[in-house]
PDB file of all heavy atoms in Angstrom:
ATOM      1  N   ALA Q 248       0.807  -1.229   0.004  1.00  0.00           N
ATOM      2  CA  ALA Q 248       0.002  -0.001  -0.004  1.00  0.00           C
ATOM      3  C   ALA Q 248       0.833   1.268   0.000  1.00  0.00           C
ATOM      4  O   ALA Q 248       0.400   2.314  -0.490  1.00  0.00           O
ATOM      5  CB  ALA Q 248      -0.932  -0.014   1.217  1.00  0.00           C
ATOM      6  N   ARG Q 249       2.055   1.214   0.528  1.00  0.00           N
ATOM      7  CA  ARG Q 249       2.876   2.427   0.605  1.00  0.00           C
ATOM      8  C   ARG Q 249       3.404   2.872  -0.751  1.00  0.00           C
ATOM      9  O   ARG Q 249       4.007   3.939  -0.867  1.00  0.00           O
ATOM     10  CB  ARG Q 249       4.034   2.231   1.581  1.00  0.00           C
ATOM     11  CG  ARG Q 249       4.956   1.044   1.274  1.00  0.00           C
ATOM     12  CD  ARG Q 249       5.885   0.815   2.466  1.00  0.00           C
ATOM     13  NE  ARG Q 249       6.777  -0.327   2.318  1.00  0.00           N
ATOM     14  CZ  ARG Q 249       6.458  -1.570   2.608  1.00  0.00           C
ATOM     15  NH1 ARG Q 249       5.229  -1.865   3.043  1.00  0.00           N
ATOM     16  NH2 ARG Q 249       7.347  -2.554   2.477  1.00  0.00           N
ATOM     17  N   GLY Q 250       3.212   2.054  -1.774  1.00  0.00           N
ATOM     18  CA  GLY Q 250       3.578   2.447  -3.131  1.00  0.00           C
ATOM     19  C   GLY Q 250       4.838   1.799  -3.628  1.00  0.00           C
ATOM     20  O   GLY Q 250       5.712   1.413  -2.854  1.00  0.00           O
ATOM     21  N   VAL Q 251       4.949   1.666  -4.948  1.00  0.00           N
ATOM     22  CA  VAL Q 251       6.037   0.906  -5.539  1.00  0.00           C
ATOM     23  C   VAL Q 251       7.381   1.600  -5.322  1.00  0.00           C
ATOM     24  O   VAL Q 251       8.392   0.932  -5.016  1.00  0.00           O
ATOM     25  CB  VAL Q 251       5.759   0.638  -7.031  1.00  0.00           C
ATOM     26  CG1 VAL Q 251       5.723   1.924  -7.847  1.00  0.00           C
ATOM     27  CG2 VAL Q 251       6.810  -0.300  -7.597  1.00  0.00           C
ATOM     28  N   GLU Q 252       7.452   2.906  -5.466  1.00  0.00           N
ATOM     29  CA  GLU Q 252       8.748   3.573  -5.352  1.00  0.00           C
ATOM     30  C   GLU Q 252       9.250   3.545  -3.909  1.00  0.00           C
ATOM     31  O   GLU Q 252      10.461   3.351  -3.670  1.00  0.00           O
ATOM     32  CB  GLU Q 252       8.661   4.998  -5.897  1.00  0.00           C
ATOM     33  CG  GLU Q 252       8.311   5.045  -7.389  1.00  0.00           C
ATOM     34  CD  GLU Q 252       9.017   6.184  -8.112  1.00  0.00           C
ATOM     35  OE1 GLU Q 252       9.885   6.839  -7.518  1.00  0.00           O
ATOM     36  OE2 GLU Q 252       8.715   6.378  -9.317  1.00  0.00           O
ATOM     37  N   ALA Q 253       8.362   3.741  -2.957  1.00  0.00           N
ATOM     38  CA  ALA Q 253       8.765   3.659  -1.552  1.00  0.00           C
ATOM     39  C   ALA Q 253       9.251   2.271  -1.199  1.00  0.00           C
ATOM     40  O   ALA Q 253      10.238   2.100  -0.471  1.00  0.00           O
ATOM     41  CB  ALA Q 253       7.597   4.064  -0.650  1.00  0.00           C
ATOM     42  N   TRP Q 254       8.561   1.268  -1.726  1.00  0.00           N
ATOM     43  CA  TRP Q 254       8.934  -0.142  -1.501  1.00  0.00           C
ATOM     44  C   TRP Q 254      10.322  -0.423  -2.067  1.00  0.00           C
ATOM     45  O   TRP Q 254      11.179  -1.018  -1.387  1.00  0.00           O
ATOM     46  CB  TRP Q 254       7.856  -1.004  -2.141  1.00  0.00           C
ATOM     47  CG  TRP Q 254       8.051  -2.483  -2.141  1.00  0.00           C
ATOM     48  CD1 TRP Q 254       8.578  -3.256  -1.135  1.00  0.00           C
ATOM     49  CD2 TRP Q 254       7.677  -3.379  -3.169  1.00  0.00           C
ATOM     50  NE1 TRP Q 254       8.548  -4.585  -1.496  1.00  0.00           N
ATOM     51  CE2 TRP Q 254       7.993  -4.691  -2.751  1.00  0.00           C
ATOM     52  CE3 TRP Q 254       7.078  -3.220  -4.430  1.00  0.00           C
ATOM     53  CZ2 TRP Q 254       7.753  -5.827  -3.535  1.00  0.00           C
ATOM     54  CZ3 TRP Q 254       6.824  -4.343  -5.199  1.00  0.00           C
ATOM     55  CH2 TRP Q 254       7.158  -5.628  -4.762  1.00  0.00           C
ATOM     56  N   LEU Q 255      10.565   0.009  -3.276  1.00  0.00           N
ATOM     57  CA  LEU Q 255      11.882  -0.219  -3.907  1.00  0.00           C
ATOM     58  C   LEU Q 255      12.977   0.541  -3.181  1.00  0.00           C
ATOM     59  O   LEU Q 255      14.070  -0.006  -2.938  1.00  0.00           O
ATOM     60  CB  LEU Q 255      11.818   0.195  -5.377  1.00  0.00           C
ATOM     61  CG  LEU Q 255      10.997  -0.724  -6.293  1.00  0.00           C
ATOM     62  CD1 LEU Q 255      10.693  -0.034  -7.629  1.00  0.00           C
ATOM     63  CD2 LEU Q 255      11.722  -2.045  -6.539  1.00  0.00           C
ATOM     64  N   MET Q 256      12.724   1.772  -2.828  1.00  0.00           N
ATOM     65  CA  MET Q 256      13.738   2.556  -2.134  1.00  0.00           C
ATOM     66  C   MET Q 256      14.051   1.961  -0.760  1.00  0.00           C
ATOM     67  O   MET Q 256      15.191   1.999  -0.289  1.00  0.00           O
ATOM     68  CB  MET Q 256      13.258   4.014  -1.995  1.00  0.00           C
ATOM     69  CG  MET Q 256      13.101   4.747  -3.314  1.00  0.00           C
ATOM     70  SD  MET Q 256      14.668   4.887  -4.257  1.00  0.00           S
ATOM     71  CE  MET Q 256      15.518   6.109  -3.264  1.00  0.00           C
ATOM     72  N   GLU Q 257      13.041   1.382  -0.116  1.00  0.00           N
ATOM     73  CA  GLU Q 257      13.237   0.746   1.186  1.00  0.00           C
ATOM     74  C   GLU Q 257      14.215  -0.427   1.061  1.00  0.00           C
ATOM     75  O   GLU Q 257      14.953  -0.741   2.003  1.00  0.00           O
ATOM     76  CB  GLU Q 257      11.889   0.274   1.736  1.00  0.00           C
ATOM     77  CG  GLU Q 257      11.905  -0.151   3.181  1.00  0.00           C
ATOM     78  CD  GLU Q 257      10.520  -0.489   3.690  1.00  0.00           C
ATOM     79  OE1 GLU Q 257       9.537  -0.215   2.978  1.00  0.00           O
ATOM     80  OE2 GLU Q 257      10.429  -1.009   4.808  1.00  0.00           O
ATOM     81  N   ALA Q 258      14.225  -1.076  -0.097  1.00  0.00           N
ATOM     82  CA  ALA Q 258      15.124  -2.187  -0.373  1.00  0.00           C
ATOM     83  C   ALA Q 258      16.437  -1.718  -1.021  1.00  0.00           C
ATOM     84  O   ALA Q 258      17.234  -2.536  -1.464  1.00  0.00           O
ATOM     85  CB  ALA Q 258      14.457  -3.212  -1.273  1.00  0.00           C
ATOM     86  N   SER Q 259      16.627  -0.382  -1.091  1.00  0.00           N
ATOM     87  CA  SER Q 259      17.805   0.215  -1.711  1.00  0.00           C
ATOM     88  C   SER Q 259      17.956  -0.184  -3.180  1.00  0.00           C
ATOM     89  O   SER Q 259      19.062  -0.461  -3.666  1.00  0.00           O
ATOM     90  CB  SER Q 259      19.078  -0.174  -0.930  1.00  0.00           C
ATOM     91  OG  SER Q 259      18.986   0.276   0.410  1.00  0.00           O
ATOM     92  N   ILE Q 260      16.834  -0.220  -3.861  1.00  0.00           N
ATOM     93  CA  ILE Q 260      16.805  -0.575  -5.287  1.00  0.00           C
ATOM     94  C   ILE Q 260      16.349   0.637  -6.093  1.00  0.00           C
ATOM     95  O   ILE Q 260      15.343   1.277  -5.751  1.00  0.00           O
ATOM     96  CB  ILE Q 260      15.851  -1.766  -5.544  1.00  0.00           C
ATOM     97  CG1 ILE Q 260      16.391  -3.034  -4.845  1.00  0.00           C
ATOM     98  CG2 ILE Q 260      15.679  -2.013  -7.039  1.00  0.00           C
ATOM     99  CD1 ILE Q 260      15.415  -4.187  -4.856  1.00  0.00           C
ATOM    100  N   ASP Q 261      17.062   0.963  -7.123  1.00  0.00           N
ATOM    101  CA  ASP Q 261      16.729   2.078  -8.014  1.00  0.00           C
ATOM    102  C   ASP Q 261      15.423   1.750  -8.729  1.00  0.00           C
ATOM    103  O   ASP Q 261      15.332   0.748  -9.431  1.00  0.00           O
ATOM    104  CB  ASP Q 261      17.858   2.265  -9.027  1.00  0.00           C
ATOM    105  CG  ASP Q 261      17.613   3.430  -9.973  1.00  0.00           C
ATOM    106  OD1 ASP Q 261      16.516   4.031  -9.941  1.00  0.00           O
ATOM    107  OD2 ASP Q 261      18.534   3.734 -10.767  1.00  0.00           O
ATOM    108  N   PRO Q 262      14.377   2.558  -8.568  1.00  0.00           N
ATOM    109  CA  PRO Q 262      13.107   2.290  -9.258  1.00  0.00           C
ATOM    110  C   PRO Q 262      13.240   2.220 -10.780  1.00  0.00           C
ATOM    111  O   PRO Q 262      12.376   1.634 -11.453  1.00  0.00           O
ATOM    112  CB  PRO Q 262      12.226   3.466  -8.834  1.00  0.00           C
ATOM    113  CG  PRO Q 262      12.790   3.916  -7.528  1.00  0.00           C
ATOM    114  CD  PRO Q 262      14.271   3.739  -7.686  1.00  0.00           C
ATOM    115  N   GLN Q 263      14.321   2.775 -11.321  1.00  0.00           N
ATOM    116  CA  GLN Q 263      14.505   2.747 -12.773  1.00  0.00           C
ATOM    117  C   GLN Q 263      15.258   1.508 -13.245  1.00  0.00           C
ATOM    118  O   GLN Q 263      15.467   1.321 -14.435  1.00  0.00           O
ATOM    119  CB  GLN Q 263      15.252   4.007 -13.222  1.00  0.00           C
ATOM    120  CG  GLN Q 263      14.485   5.297 -12.969  1.00  0.00           C
ATOM    121  CD  GLN Q 263      15.177   6.507 -13.554  1.00  0.00           C
ATOM    122  OE1 GLN Q 263      15.278   6.647 -14.774  1.00  0.00           O
ATOM    123  NE2 GLN Q 263      15.683   7.378 -12.691  1.00  0.00           N
ATOM    124  N   ALA Q 264      15.695   0.679 -12.298  1.00  0.00           N
ATOM    125  CA  ALA Q 264      16.416  -0.545 -12.679  1.00  0.00           C
ATOM    126  C   ALA Q 264      15.477  -1.514 -13.375  1.00  0.00           C
ATOM    127  O   ALA Q 264      14.244  -1.468 -13.213  1.00  0.00           O
ATOM    128  CB  ALA Q 264      17.014  -1.193 -11.436  1.00  0.00           C
ATOM    129  N   ARG Q 265      16.060  -2.417 -14.152  1.00  0.00           N
ATOM    130  CA  ARG Q 265      15.294  -3.475 -14.799  1.00  0.00           C
ATOM    131  C   ARG Q 265      15.549  -4.797 -14.077  1.00  0.00           C
ATOM    132  O   ARG Q 265      16.609  -4.968 -13.438  1.00  0.00           O
ATOM    133  CB  ARG Q 265      15.655  -3.551 -16.280  1.00  0.00           C
ATOM    134  CG  ARG Q 265      15.059  -2.374 -17.061  1.00  0.00           C
ATOM    135  CD  ARG Q 265      15.345  -2.417 -18.544  1.00  0.00           C
ATOM    136  NE  ARG Q 265      14.532  -1.443 -19.268  1.00  0.00           N
ATOM    137  CZ  ARG Q 265      14.771  -0.122 -19.324  1.00  0.00           C
ATOM    138  NH1 ARG Q 265      15.841   0.371 -18.681  1.00  0.00           N
ATOM    139  NH2 ARG Q 265      13.987   0.682 -19.995  1.00  0.00           N
ATOM    140  N   PRO Q 266      14.625  -5.737 -14.149  1.00  0.00           N
ATOM    141  CA  PRO Q 266      14.711  -6.934 -13.308  1.00  0.00           C
ATOM    142  C   PRO Q 266      15.961  -7.767 -13.506  1.00  0.00           C
ATOM    143  O   PRO Q 266      16.477  -8.362 -12.553  1.00  0.00           O
ATOM    144  CB  PRO Q 266      13.446  -7.728 -13.670  1.00  0.00           C
ATOM    145  CG  PRO Q 266      12.973  -7.144 -14.962  1.00  0.00           C
ATOM    146  CD  PRO Q 266      13.372  -5.716 -14.948  1.00  0.00           C
ATOM    147  N   GLU Q 267      16.494  -7.819 -14.734  1.00  0.00           N
ATOM    148  CA  GLU Q 267      17.644  -8.668 -14.994  1.00  0.00           C
ATOM    149  C   GLU Q 267      18.929  -8.173 -14.333  1.00  0.00           C
ATOM    150  O   GLU Q 267      19.945  -8.864 -14.309  1.00  0.00           O
ATOM    151  CB  GLU Q 267      17.879  -8.854 -16.503  1.00  0.00           C
ATOM    152  CG  GLU Q 267      18.291  -7.595 -17.252  1.00  0.00           C
ATOM    153  CD  GLU Q 267      17.131  -6.805 -17.790  1.00  0.00           C
ATOM    154  OE1 GLU Q 267      15.986  -7.038 -17.328  1.00  0.00           O
ATOM    155  OE2 GLU Q 267      17.372  -5.939 -18.663  1.00  0.00           O
ATOM    156  N   THR Q 268      18.894  -6.950 -13.736  1.00  0.00           N
ATOM    157  CA  THR Q 268      20.076  -6.418 -13.079  1.00  0.00           C
ATOM    158  C   THR Q 268      20.128  -6.762 -11.594  1.00  0.00           C
ATOM    159  O   THR Q 268      21.165  -6.581 -10.953  1.00  0.00           O
ATOM    160  CB  THR Q 268      20.130  -4.888 -13.221  1.00  0.00           C
ATOM    161  OG1 THR Q 268      19.034  -4.286 -12.502  1.00  0.00           O
ATOM    162  CG2 THR Q 268      20.076  -4.470 -14.681  1.00  0.00           C
ATOM    163  N   LEU Q 269      19.021  -7.265 -11.045  1.00  0.00           N
ATOM    164  CA  LEU Q 269      18.958  -7.527  -9.605  1.00  0.00           C
ATOM    165  C   LEU Q 269      19.415  -8.944  -9.274  1.00  0.00           C
ATOM    166  O   LEU Q 269      18.990  -9.905  -9.926  1.00  0.00           O
ATOM    167  CB  LEU Q 269      17.517  -7.354  -9.104  1.00  0.00           C
ATOM    168  CG  LEU Q 269      17.118  -5.985  -8.573  1.00  0.00           C
ATOM    169  CD1 LEU Q 269      17.301  -4.909  -9.629  1.00  0.00           C
ATOM    170  CD2 LEU Q 269      15.689  -6.028  -8.057  1.00  0.00           C
ATOM    171  N   PRO Q 270      20.241  -9.126  -8.245  1.00  0.00           N
ATOM    172  CA  PRO Q 270      20.618 -10.454  -7.811  1.00  0.00           C
ATOM    173  C   PRO Q 270      19.432 -11.132  -7.098  1.00  0.00           C
ATOM    174  O   PRO Q 270      18.498 -10.448  -6.662  1.00  0.00           O
ATOM    175  CB  PRO Q 270      21.759 -10.220  -6.844  1.00  0.00           C
ATOM    176  CG  PRO Q 270      21.498  -8.858  -6.292  1.00  0.00           C
ATOM    177  CD  PRO Q 270      20.892  -8.073  -7.423  1.00  0.00           C
ATOM    178  N   PRO Q 271      19.456 -12.431  -6.958  1.00  0.00           N
ATOM    179  CA  PRO Q 271      18.349 -13.135  -6.280  1.00  0.00           C
ATOM    180  C   PRO Q 271      18.040 -12.579  -4.890  1.00  0.00           C
ATOM    181  O   PRO Q 271      16.877 -12.469  -4.502  1.00  0.00           O
ATOM    182  CB  PRO Q 271      18.836 -14.585  -6.218  1.00  0.00           C
ATOM    183  CG  PRO Q 271      19.746 -14.721  -7.397  1.00  0.00           C
ATOM    184  CD  PRO Q 271      20.430 -13.404  -7.507  1.00  0.00           C
ATOM    185  N   GLU Q 272      19.087 -12.198  -4.160  1.00  0.00           N
ATOM    186  CA  GLU Q 272      18.893 -11.697  -2.793  1.00  0.00           C
ATOM    187  C   GLU Q 272      18.047 -10.422  -2.758  1.00  0.00           C
ATOM    188  O   GLU Q 272      17.318 -10.173  -1.792  1.00  0.00           O
ATOM    189  CB  GLU Q 272      20.244 -11.448  -2.134  1.00  0.00           C
ATOM    190  CG  GLU Q 272      21.076 -12.691  -1.904  1.00  0.00           C
ATOM    191  CD  GLU Q 272      21.728 -13.221  -3.180  1.00  0.00           C
ATOM    192  OE1 GLU Q 272      21.838 -12.460  -4.173  1.00  0.00           O
ATOM    193  OE2 GLU Q 272      22.129 -14.420  -3.188  1.00  0.00           O
ATOM    194  N   ALA Q 273      18.122  -9.601  -3.808  1.00  0.00           N
ATOM    195  CA  ALA Q 273      17.315  -8.398  -3.862  1.00  0.00           C
ATOM    196  C   ALA Q 273      15.828  -8.736  -3.975  1.00  0.00           C
ATOM    197  O   ALA Q 273      14.989  -8.075  -3.355  1.00  0.00           O
ATOM    198  CB  ALA Q 273      17.759  -7.522  -5.040  1.00  0.00           C
ATOM    199  N   PHE Q 274      15.507  -9.770  -4.757  1.00  0.00           N
ATOM    200  CA  PHE Q 274      14.109 -10.192  -4.865  1.00  0.00           C
ATOM    201  C   PHE Q 274      13.636 -10.780  -3.541  1.00  0.00           C
ATOM    202  O   PHE Q 274      12.460 -10.608  -3.150  1.00  0.00           O
ATOM    203  CB  PHE Q 274      13.945 -11.203  -5.987  1.00  0.00           C
ATOM    204  CG  PHE Q 274      14.003 -10.587  -7.361  1.00  0.00           C
ATOM    205  CD1 PHE Q 274      15.153 -10.688  -8.136  1.00  0.00           C
ATOM    206  CD2 PHE Q 274      12.927  -9.875  -7.872  1.00  0.00           C
ATOM    207  CE1 PHE Q 274      15.227 -10.117  -9.402  1.00  0.00           C
ATOM    208  CE2 PHE Q 274      12.978  -9.290  -9.120  1.00  0.00           C
ATOM    209  CZ  PHE Q 274      14.131  -9.412  -9.890  1.00  0.00           C
TER     210      PHE Q 274
END
């Protein structure tokens, strides 16, 4: 509910990143 960008930033993930750049641990 807090929103996609807040969720991604909470995980220290750039909202502009694409999925193939994230390691399994990030997911």
Side-chain angles (χ1 to χ4, degrees):
R249 57 191 178 275
V251 64
E252 298 216 8
W254 176 38
L255 289 164
M256 295 298 287
E257 192 174 351
S259 300
I260 295 170
D261 182 353
Q263 297 186 67
R265 288 182 168 78
E267 66 270 16
T268 66
L269 268 59
E272 295 75 19
F274 286 103

